[in-house]
Amino acid sequence: MWEQAGIVVGALVTLAIFSLLYKDNPLYRFAESLLVGVSAGYYLVQYCFSAIYRKFYIPVIGEGDLWLLPGGILGLLILLRLSRRVQWMSRYAIAFYVAAWSGYLIPSVLQERILIQIRSTFPPSLAEASIWAVLGSLFLLVGVVSILVYFFFSAEHRGALGRISQVGITFLMVGFGASFGYTVMGRVSLLIGRFQYLFQDLPQALSF
Amino acid sequence: MRMAFRTVWYGLLVACLACAWSAPSAAAHVAHADSLDGGAQEAEGAEAQGVSASSEEVLDGAGSEAEGGETPSTGWFDTEHTPTAVATLLFGAILLFFIRSARSGKPLFIRRIAGLEAVDEAVGRATEMGRPILYSPGLDPMEEVATVASINILGQVARKAGEYETRLIMPNRDPIVMTVAQEVVREALTQVGRPDLYNADDIYYTTQSQFGYAAAVCGTMMRERPATNFFIGHFYAESLILAETGNATGAIQIAGTDSDSQLPFFICACDYTLIGEELYAGSVYLSREPLLLGALKGQDVAKAVLLVVLIAGAILAFFGIDIGPYLG
Amino acid sequence: MKRTGPVVFGFLIGMLMLIQYFTQVPWIDDRYNNVLDWKQVVFGITLILGVVSLFLHHWKKIERKTGGWGYSVVTIAGLLFMIAAALIFGREEGPYPWMFDHVQAPMQSTMFALLAFYVASASYRAFRVRSFHAALLLTAGVIVMLGRVPLGEMMGFHIGEHYFSLGTISTLILDYPNLAAKRGVMIGVGLGMTATAIKIILGIERTYLGKGA
């Protein structure tokens, strides 16, 4: 019973969101407001449980693991933002939050986004690979080099630098076009999924 | 301060040399696994889970490494990461050198970036039309550097909005981004002598839900009719929903993201787009702060070093000499 | 204390996270995991701050009876209902998961599905070619789009004995210029990210800390 009612409600809110395609209207506004409220509540409960309860309350209060106490203290510091007088103390929590991840990012980004990508751009040996493979990897190399030249900021893009960066922007545009075309079918399949919900699941629920 | 700076810099150089010395032997341990950004294109549709997701990814990564069984080394320094350590130290040293040079006051050049040149025009247009500006910092949490870059640009946009007496609206998906943005906007408005224009209600939290956030921003765009929209930060699949809705309302749109899978959509639907690294150069470009300009120069020098490695490595690879294992 | 303290604190935490990447010392690994847990707790507590902001934002609209205040009632009702449902009936069963499955999830999926229409309108915009680069984007987009459907295999041309279908050309575009673009952007972004992260740890980049930092 609740399941069938749920499908009917789901179909109604689906139509309400689709109505945005016509224009902003009271139905969409209702659905948008409901989505914001319900999802904000949903995530609040999830994080309170998974973060505050499981990562702070149980280990610190329940098991006496004091290594997890600073998390709670930093969390409380951030609440001091609400007071003008001691607002500065919340900077400790924000500095912690941002700097901790930055520290982690430096080596991992250097390895995954830079070193591995550079390594993967190296072409195969002339002696081992076919002419097509060599030409392909040479083309790839020209693309990567010219794009990196496009991203030079401290020099005017004139002369040779300007011409190479023009090649770079050409590669970028073809690449972005390809990404665009590649994504279209995926988006259409999402729409088909919603239509299946409306034209298959809903009639089944109503036939009950 | 200068002494400390010098010490850190020399320390980095020494450490760099020490690591480089041990690199060849460490490189032998490294498996030659070919990898790319696989899955990024498909994964973008998934809900961006903010802090917990990123943290859990790290935990998962750590877990899988541990489960791998065979660990290449233990102790104070994991030699498997020698190439990364060398790269980290070298990059840090280059960056510090140029930041230090910038302290001398030598003027540093930065090339024109069209999307950022248009900021004045975009804010001015909003003022002329008597409509607000909308600023979206993307979906990522405050810890992600794309969001930090976005917040820096926000500070500059808020200053201009203050100078032009234009209202700035900023819906947020992340509560920490919201609190930081409130502080940054208030400070920017104070700096231009218009603290009275600050309204904390205009910088508000919506929801953690990716598409809930998209729905809320679309609603705001359709009702408040901002004359200018800024989408600056890391975006996922919602990028096109936001940009197309903004387009339908007739707003001038400036986007900037480091997400390569979303760039095509912003390029199609926005008037100006900051592509990838331009996002990180953005705040330097707008603020022209000498230290940050120095860092940008250092970034360019590091890029030049990479280009040399790339081209030299490619030439060697053609002749069967593979320097790949030395890169991690 | 107000200015330097947070920067020094950030430096120490940042260095811990940086160093743990290169070491396998159990004590450092444990602290690293602690830091990840602290981050989650900080985020959880800040989320309360965010939800309070959302509540007040809409509450003020209701109090002042500004235009569309009725929708603010819907938002607050949805928010409070979810919290109450989880507190009374639990997170595993009852109205809380029901609301997620039958209200939140369908709406989120539909917002996502709207992209099919927006992709179409963005494509239309791209069709109005304004420059050489826009033409390149459009051409590559159309070839890849057609190349990924069965029709694309039937469309093509001959060069000598070789038949080049749109599918083949699409694969070539994805394998070379597209890969080059992704890689180039990725390396550039990587440099930007690393430089920003280093500036954050060293306290050169501190706008995010706010006033006077």
Side-chain angles (χ1 to χ4, degrees):
Chain A
M1 170 63 191
W2 283 108
E3 194 58 31
Q4 275 80 8
I7 290 172
V8 174
V9 171
L12 289 175
V13 292
T14 295
L15 290 172
I17 294 282
F18 269 139
S19 71
L20 172 70
L21 292 168
Y22 170 57
K23 64 175 188 178
D24 187 29
N25 64 78
L27 209 59
Y28 172 75
R29 233 177 139 175
F30 174 83
E32 174 208 318
S33 306
L34 188 65
L35 175 56
V36 169
V38 167
S39 59
Y42 175 81
Y43 284 107
L44 179 71
V45 170
Q46 289 295 325
Y47 280 103
C48 279
F49 179 78
S50 66
I52 302 173
Y53 183 70
R54 274 180 45 197
K55 303 281 182 186
F56 181 72
Y57 184 81
I58 291 183
V60 177
I61 313 289
E63 296 161 7
D65 180 2
L66 293 180
W67 275 113
L68 292 179
L69 183 63
I73 294 171
L74 288 164
L76 291 176
L77 283 181
I78 217 161
L79 293 182
L80 296 180
R81 221 145 235 266
L82 298 170
S83 156
R84 278 269 169 136
R85 262 189 54 227
V86 285
Q87 200 181 39
W88 61 271
M89 290 180 81
S90 66
R91 281 184 202 153
Y92 280 89
I94 291 173
F96 157 77
Y97 195 77
V98 175
W101 196 245
S102 294
Y104 177 79
L105 274 184
I106 293 167
S108 53
V109 165
L110 272 173
Q111 183 170 356
E112 285 154 28
R113 283 183 169 259
I114 298 176
L115 296 180
I116 291 179
Q117 299 308 322
I118 294 277
R119 195 184 72 184
S120 309
T121 311
F122 290 154
S125 158
L126 284 169
E128 290 165 13
S130 71
I131 183 72
W132 293 112
V134 171
L135 283 177
S137 56
L138 203 60
F139 188 65
L140 185 69
L141 181 72
V142 169
V144 174
V145 168
S146 58
I147 290 168
L148 284 176
V149 168
Y150 170 78
F151 286 126
F152 266 96
F153 297 106
S154 52
E156 190 78 81
H157 284 190
R158 283 195 193 137
L161 199 69
R163 282 193 289 275
I164 298 172
S165 76
Q166 277 301 311
V167 175
I169 196 82
T170 304
F171 266 95
L172 281 174
M173 288 303 147
V174 174
F176 290 153
S179 287
F180 192 105
Y182 187 85
T183 316
V184 170
M185 297 309 286
R187 300 295 181 252
V188 172
S189 65
L190 287 168
L191 185 64
I192 292 168
R194 293 321 294 161
F195 283 155
Q196 276 177 342
Y197 185 82
L198 287 176
F199 299 117
Q200 280 181 10
D201 299 358
L202 182 65
Q204 274 175 14
L206 288 177
S207 69
F208 167 83
Chain B
M1 184 68 183
R2 186 167 290 188
M3 188 66 193
F5 218 78
R6 196 174 292 173
T7 314
V8 172
W9 191 64
Y10 287 130
L12 282 175
L13 275 181
V14 171
C16 193
L17 288 171
C19 282
W21 186 258
S22 64
S25 59
H29 290 283
V30 180
H32 198 105
D34 211 17
S35 80
L36 225 203
D37 53 320
Q41 194 135 6
E42 293 305 310
E44 37 120 339
E47 282 260 342
Q49 288 299 331
V51 62
S52 67
S54 23
S55 303
E56 274 162 24
E57 265 170 34
V58 175
L59 284 172
D60 288 349
S64 60
E65 271 175 31
E67 284 158 19
E70 200 180 336
T71 46
S73 63
T74 54
W76 281 102
F77 185 70
D78 182 354
T79 51
E80 192 190 349
H81 292 308
T82 305
T84 314
V86 174
T88 305
L89 294 169
L90 193 64
F91 190 35
I94 292 172
L95 217 59
L96 284 177
F97 176 81
F98 282 97
I99 291 169
R100 193 164 159 262
S101 307
R103 280 179 195 274
S104 64
K106 198 176 136 192
L108 293 168
F109 173 82
I110 180 166
R111 76 159 161 90
R112 187 177 165 274
I113 300 175
L116 297 168
E117 287 285 305
V119 169
D120 265 334
E121 175 204 335
V123 177
R125 182 177 182 262
T127 313
E128 277 169 21
M129 296 174 81
R131 290 201 206 153
I133 296 166
L134 182 131
Y135 193 102
S136 169
L139 259 73
D140 268 359
M142 193 63 233
E143 60 189 357
E144 295 293 346
V145 284
T147 312
V148 175
S150 174
I151 289 293
N152 289 342
I153 294 175
L154 167 73
Q156 302 299 327
V157 171
R159 284 174 74 100
K160 291 198 195 307
E163 285 165 6
Y164 287 96
E165 297 181 20
T166 304
R167 186 178 161 216
L168 180 82
I169 304 172
M170 186 177 173
N172 291 282
R173 178 192 180 244
D174 185 278
I176 300 182
V177 176
M178 177 198 76
T179 54
V180 171
Q182 285 176 337
E183 184 74 14
V184 166
V185 170
R186 184 163 55 191
E187 189 189 351
L189 293 175
T190 307
Q191 277 174 355
V192 294
R194 294 308 306 268
D196 54 303
L197 291 176
Y198 176 71
N199 180 7
D201 261 0
D202 282 339
I203 302 163
Y204 54 93
Y205 171 77
T206 54
T207 168
Q208 268 286 297
S209 158
Q210 179 186 10
F211 291 104
Y213 175 73
V217 177
C218 288
T220 306
M221 283 193 276
M222 284 182 296
R223 271 153 240 146
E224 300 280 355
R225 301 290 233 198
T228 304
N229 296 329
F230 288 93
F231 305 117
I232 313 267
H234 193 89
F235 289 83
Y236 296 82
E238 75 295 337
S239 65
L240 190 59
I241 301 177
L242 303 179
E244 276 298 297
T245 308
N247 218 310
T249 62
I252 186 168
Q253 306 202 96
I254 299 177
T257 186
D258 60 348
S259 165
D260 56 273
S261 54
Q262 302 309 317
L263 276 167
F265 304 117
F266 276 145
I267 287 172
C268 283
C270 295
D271 299 280
Y272 300 96
T273 307
L274 301 177
I275 299 171
E277 200 183 348
E278 289 177 342
L279 166 69
Y280 295 96
S283 62
V284 185
Y285 188 88
L286 291 173
S287 71
R288 308 274 162 161
E289 214 205 293
L291 286 189
L292 298 179
L293 274 170
L296 192 64
K297 178 90 182 169
Q299 213 170 299
D300 271 1
V301 170
K303 208 173 294 154
V305 172
L306 280 181
L307 280 174
V308 170
V309 172
L310 185 56
I311 294 168
I315 294 169
L316 290 172
F318 272 132
F319 296 105
I321 305 165
D322 185 13
I323 63 161
Y326 289 85
L327 296 179
Chain C
M1 190 67 180
K2 286 185 185 178
R3 294 180 183 190
T4 318
V7 176
V8 172
F9 183 55
F11 174 79
L12 294 174
I13 294 287
M15 287 309 283
L16 170 78
M17 296 296 273
L18 177 70
I19 289 166
Q20 67 75 32
Y21 188 88
F22 298 107
T23 61
Q24 290 194 341
V25 178
W27 187 89
I28 293 180
D29 280 351
D30 290 345
R31 299 298 76 80
Y32 162 70
N33 286 324
N34 287 154
V35 169
L36 294 181
D37 288 343
W38 299 349
K39 279 177 75 244
Q40 291 199 41
V41 176
V42 171
F43 184 81
I45 294 176
T46 317
L47 197 57
I48 298 173
L49 203 66
V51 171
V52 169
S53 148
L54 175 74
F55 182 88
L56 292 176
H57 181 78
H58 288 281
W59 185 255
K60 280 178 194 163
K61 281 188 180 175
I62 297 168
E63 260 190 345
R64 292 173 193 159
K65 298 273 190 291
T66 48
W69 64 271
Y71 299 106
S72 291
V73 173
V74 175
T75 302
I76 289 184
L79 171 71
L80 296 179
F81 180 82
M82 289 301 272
I83 297 169
L87 287 174
I88 297 166
F89 299 98
R91 295 183 314 123
E92 305 300 330
E93 54 188 27
Y96 179 81
W98 189 91
M99 285 291 282
F100 177 81
D101 291 340
H102 300 295
V103 177
Q104 186 181 331
M107 282 199 279
Q108 289 180 161
S109 305
T110 312
M111 278 306 291
F112 199 0
L114 287 181
L115 276 171
F117 296 100
Y118 289 134
V119 158
S121 60
S123 305
Y124 169 72
R125 193 162 298 109
F127 266 101
R128 294 178 304 167
V129 177
R130 288 169 295 186
S131 65
F132 170 67
H133 289 136
L136 280 177
L137 191 142
L138 165 73
T139 312
V142 170
I143 292 172
V144 173
M145 224 183 293
L146 290 174
R148 279 172 53 80
V149 293
L151 182 72
E153 284 300 324
M154 288 183 262
M155 296 165 77
F157 54 87
H158 285 275
I159 297 179
E161 289 177 357
H162 296 285
Y163 176 67
F164 288 92
S165 69
L166 281 188
T168 315
I169 298 167
S170 157
T171 308
L172 284 173
I173 291 175
L174 286 170
D175 283 352
Y176 295 104
N178 182 249
L179 183 60
K182 278 178 163 290
R183 224 171 241 174
V185 170
M186 193 182 261
I187 295 170
V189 166
L191 284 169
M193 286 172 90
T194 314
T196 309
I198 290 174
K199 286 185 280 180
I200 289 169
I201 289 184
L202 295 179
I204 296 162
E205 178 66 80
R206 52 172 93 172
T207 312
Y208 70 94
L209 285 174
K211 198 179 175 184

